[in-house]
Amino acid sequence: MTQAVLVTGGAGYIGAHACKALRDAGFLPVTYDNLSNGWRDAVRFGPLVVADLADRAALDAAFAQYRPVAVMHFAALSLVGDAMRDPGRYWRANVLGALNLIEAAVAAGCLDFVFSSTCATYGDQDGVVLDEDSPQRPINSYGKSKRAIEDMLADFGASHGLRSVIFRYFNVAGADPEAEVGEYHQPETHLIPLLLDAIAGNRPALTVFGTDYPTPDGTCIRDYVHVSDLADAHVLGVNWLLDGKGSRVFCLGTGSGFSVREVIEQSRIVTNRDVPVIYGDRRAGDAVALVSGSDRARIELGWAPRRSTMHDMIADAWRWHQTGGFCG
Ligand code: UDP
């Protein structure tokens, strides 16, 4: 019988790609999503439960109906700027939402849990490459809320035998190479989709947030990973847990940092079009540089990123961008 995996946030950008990877690996991805930031159109690979993580009865009903063998928890608020303006919203949605979900999973006896954490849990560490053992000193409520959930998972591991794979992502980019799903946020705040929007003429220009950072070209540096490679890692994470290998943290990055100016230049090359750019002030809460220095996912999980070059990420995102995104 096909094994179900409950995917919270399965209608969102990363969750939808994970659902495709799960389906391709022979699982039934069951999306649990309140559609606040997700799209019904993105749910193409399994059933959809439209409900909120705050709704414990709906969570219990989903576990009872589908009897998932594991949970993948993506649903969260994830914008650094918003988190700085309205931290209460982040603590409530992310931390209370995760607590409800974890308690429902434990009550249902579903003890294998894959969690989307983030390199934002590290905060600003003066450009050092980061690995699973680097100290976590988040500088915004988004990173702090994710870090609190990591602690929660450890506590439920000790008390209830919950087993968790925690993925700390670096920056996620690109789109499904077959363009079935892709990145589509309303409003959009992320660098690459905004750049492509500016290139396509859908917005006047991209504003670069800060050119006075202590980096070679003055702009922030990030480690970008292709969303389909990230999705593959999540399937490996589920299999890791189902194979009884126990709780583990993995960083998911490529080890290569790209500055905002370098991403702009690559976008110009890939699309062969001009990129209208404005140089603006720093954005509050942004770390100078976030780059993964870890090989653990490759060595232990057998993760082999296939499309995480900047060229492929922008090319896939551009192909998807030209489809126009989701409509509902
Ligand atoms: N960025 C920018 N202009 C924008 C959006 C983002 O210069 O309109 C920069 C941002 O300051 C950061 C990088 O691009 O250095 C990646 O930002 P994004 O919001 O995509 O991801 P984050 O790093 O916040 O998770």
Side-chain angles (χ1 to χ4, degrees), residues 78-81 118-120 142 170-172 183 188-195 205-210 213 219-222 224 258-260 263-264 278 281-283 285-288 290:
S78 63
L79 303 180
V80 169
T118 165
C119 61
Y142 167 58
F170 287 69
N171 284 55
V172 187
E183 183 165 20
E188 187 53 74
T189 65
H190 293 101
L191 177 63
I192 292 175
L194 286 176
L195 253 173
L206 174 91
T207 302
V208 173
F209 293 144
Y213 283 99
T219 62
C220 290
I221 292 175
R222 297 286 183 273
Y224 294 84
F258 285 82
S259 72
V260 175
V263 175
I264 293 170
I278 294 170
D281 293 335
R282 291 183 178 196
R283 178 174 68 178
D286 270 345
V288 179
L290 290 167

Side-chain angles (χ1 to χ4, degrees), residues 109-154:
C110 178
L111 295 178
D112 290 310
F113 199 103
V114 177
F115 175 55
S116 297
S117 190
T118 165
C119 61
T121 60
Y122 292 116
D124 223 342
Q125 311 226 0
D126 292 333
V128 295
V129 287
L130 299 161
D131 65 22
E132 293 81 3
D133 300 320
S134 300
Q136 291 173 289
R137 294 192 288 261
I139 57 172
N140 55 57
S141 301
Y142 167 58
K144 288 176 192 174
S145 69
K146 289 282 185 169
R147 192 200 147 153
I149 299 165
E150 290 194 13
D151 288 347
M152 204 187 283
L153 288 168

Side-chain angles (χ1 to χ4, degrees), residues 72-327:
M72 273 190 196
H73 179 39
F74 296 96
L77 300 178
S78 63
L79 303 180
V80 169
D82 268 6
M84 298 299 283
R85 281 185 293 274
D86 192 355
R89 230 176 116 230
Y90 274 68
W91 283 101
R92 192 171 303 108
N94 292 358
V95 177
L96 291 184
L99 179 58
N100 252 344
L101 174 64
I102 292 168
E103 288 187 326
V106 166
C110 178
L111 295 178
D112 290 310
F113 199 103
V114 177
F115 175 55
S116 297
S117 190
T118 165
C119 61
T121 60
Y122 292 116
D124 223 342
Q125 311 226 0
D126 292 333
V128 295
V129 287
L130 299 161
D131 65 22
E132 293 81 3
D133 300 320
S134 300
Q136 291 173 289
R137 294 192 288 261
I139 57 172
N140 55 57
S141 301
Y142 167 58
K144 288 176 192 174
S145 69
K146 289 282 185 169
R147 192 200 147 153
I149 299 165
E150 290 194 13
D151 288 347
M152 204 187 283
L153 288 168
D155 284 355
F156 277 83
S159 61
H160 291 83
L162 187 72
R163 300 169 289 262
S164 57
V165 161
I166 294 174
F167 287 122
R168 293 189 193 135
Y169 315 156
F170 287 69
N171 284 55
V172 187
D176 172 31
E178 292 160 330
E180 282 191 272
V181 284
E183 183 165 20
Y184 191 64
H185 298 108
Q186 288 292 352
E188 187 53 74
T189 65
H190 293 101
L191 177 63
I192 292 175
L194 286 176
L195 253 173
L196 299 181
D197 256 359
I199 290 170
N202 299 336
R203 64 181 66 235
L206 174 91
T207 302
V208 173
F209 293 144
T211 52
D212 60 348
Y213 283 99
T215 60
D217 67 18
T219 62
C220 290
I221 292 175
R222 297 286 183 273
D223 181 342
Y224 294 84
V225 187
H226 195 292
V227 64
S228 296
D229 288 337
L230 200 81
D232 290 346
H234 283 72
V235 174
L236 293 169
V238 166
N239 284 327
W240 168 281
L241 289 168
L242 296 181
D243 287 347
K245 294 184 178 163
S247 297
R248 197 79 170 130
V249 177
F250 297 98
C251 286
L252 295 179
T254 64
S256 298
F258 285 82
S259 72
V260 175
R261 286 190 210 263
E262 287 172 329
V263 175
I264 293 170
E265 179 53 16
Q266 271 295 316
S267 302
R268 197 186 59 71
I269 292 167
V270 171
T271 63
N272 200 22
R273 297 206 198 174
D274 283 340
V275 189
V277 171
I278 294 170
Y279 295 96
D281 293 335
R282 291 183 178 196
R283 178 174 68 178
D286 270 345
V288 179
L290 290 167
V291 180
S292 169
S294 171
D295 281 336
R296 184 185 287 178
R298 288 173 182 73
I299 294 166
E300 296 187 16
L301 271 184
W303 183 50
R306 286 171 295 165
R307 295 195 67 79
S308 291
T309 63
M310 186 52 72
H311 180 280
D312 286 351
M313 287 186 280
I314 294 173
D316 289 346
W318 182 233
R319 189 178 310 109
W320 161 254
H321 190 272
Q322 289 174 313
T323 70
F326 297 118
C327 51

